[in-house]
Amino acid sequence: LAQLYHAGARGVPQNLTRALYYYEIASEFGNSWESHGNAGMMYFWGLGMDHHYRYTAWEYFEMGAPAGLESCRRRYERSLRHTRQQQKGGSGGDGDGADDDDPIAENGETAQISTCDTRSVNGLGLVYWYGIPGELEPDLVEAEKYFTLAKEMGSIEAHYNLAMLWLGFKSHFKSVDDLPADGQSSTDNLDHPFQEGAGSEKGSKDDHSGFALHKSKVPGKEVFKGPTQKEYSDAVKLLTVAANKDHLLARHRIALIYANGIKVRGNDGLIEFDVVKPDCRRAKTNFQWIIDRASLDRSKRLRNAYNHYMNGNMEASLRNYLAAAETGSSVAKSNAAFLLERGTCLG
């Protein structure tokens, strides 16, 4: 029921406040880990309420991913082993048997493994990414660990979040209070965004020795430090996976990357080479996908058309479907044709 109100599906009007109400009921009385994650996400982004409550979101995420990162990883790995054993018809013979921690059913076989909620694991990554004022300082290294696990568990949101970390959030992120008056945050304004402290050990979270040099567009500033070639390459792969799963922000980011390309310089600052070459065809394909599926006007027209249809106002429904059909919506074309075939006319 919460999901129906969340998405506005199957004739149920979308109502985020009511969706949150039912997620909380399922979380409290049903002990549903998935409901923990959904409620947490709504509190984190302030959906269905007048403000975000990230400490409350943190509490829900921890209920959906109990005992922390390593426990969730062990649960996930045991679940994979359990699945492989089932596919092979038992605990058979590749030496990949159950751990001592694997639950045992009454018949002596390994029972179904419960895994942490994927949304909660990704949500904890967001909590460490943004931090909570007065409670938790941002920790991008820990955020990356949670995003990585959530990605392995199949979260498309985690694919996008991890890609954005690699594309510069590790070094270039600024809070709203730190932005200039025009609200723009650009890596071109940063000479040395990495603060390399003396005594930072290689591989520690304070080590920023791995970077690439990028040509700055700001007069008088030749280069700035930024993501490496591998980080860019891996980020593009993750964004492509997310975009192919219809993740809107990933589509937009990958379109921008292909529209402009990415160039980096060697550590000498002299030789410049392409990490991602500009590709107008790919950029156009992704931008066109956004136009076709993410048009605000189209969304309003489709929603109004559906509401009018459910209320029995066929003429108003047809008018909105025809307007949406003019933007290229296949759904609007099909529904408009259905109404016309049934004899609905304008005027």
Side-chain angles (χ1 to χ4, degrees), residues 170-186:
K170 281 185 175 180
S171 54
H172 301 147
F173 176 79
K174 287 187 174 183
S175 68
V176 174
D177 294 335
D178 294 330
L179 293 174
D182 60 5
Q184 299 297 312
S185 176
S186 171

Side-chain angles (χ1 to χ4, degrees), residues 302-324:
L302 288 172
R303 174 62 62 184
N304 289 336
Y306 173 78
N307 289 335
H308 283 305
Y309 177 80
M310 295 299 294
N311 291 327
N313 191 345
M314 300 304 171
E315 183 176 336
S317 177
L318 176 59
R319 185 178 296 108
N320 280 277
Y321 275 132
L322 288 173

Side-chain angles (χ1 to χ4, degrees), residues 78 82 85-86 91 97-99 102-105 107-113:
R78 292 205 305 270
H82 178 68
Q85 290 166 8
Q86 286 187 322
S91 58
D99 280 356
D102 289 341
I104 304 298
N107 60 6
E109 297 180 356
T110 304
Q112 182 66 43
I113 309 296

Side-chain angles (χ1 to χ4, degrees), residues 136-178:
L136 182 70
E137 289 295 321
D139 186 339
L140 299 183
V141 173
E142 197 70 11
E144 185 174 12
K145 293 177 182 178
Y146 275 102
F147 288 148
T148 300
L149 176 57
K151 173 186 73 72
E152 293 171 2
M153 295 172 70
S155 169
I156 297 304
E157 281 292 330
H159 279 71
Y160 174 77
N161 291 334
L162 192 56
M164 295 305 293
L165 272 180
W166 291 342
L167 286 175
F169 269 88
K170 281 185 175 180
S171 54
H172 301 147
F173 176 79
K174 287 187 174 183
S175 68
V176 174
D177 294 335
D178 294 330

Side-chain angles (χ1 to χ4, degrees), residues 214 228-230 232-233 262-264 273-277:
H214 298 253
T228 64
Q229 181 178 2
K230 183 179 186 306
Y232 271 125
S233 178
I262 297 174
K263 292 181 180 291
V264 300
F273 57 94
D274 290 307
V275 175
V276 179
K277 293 183 178 180

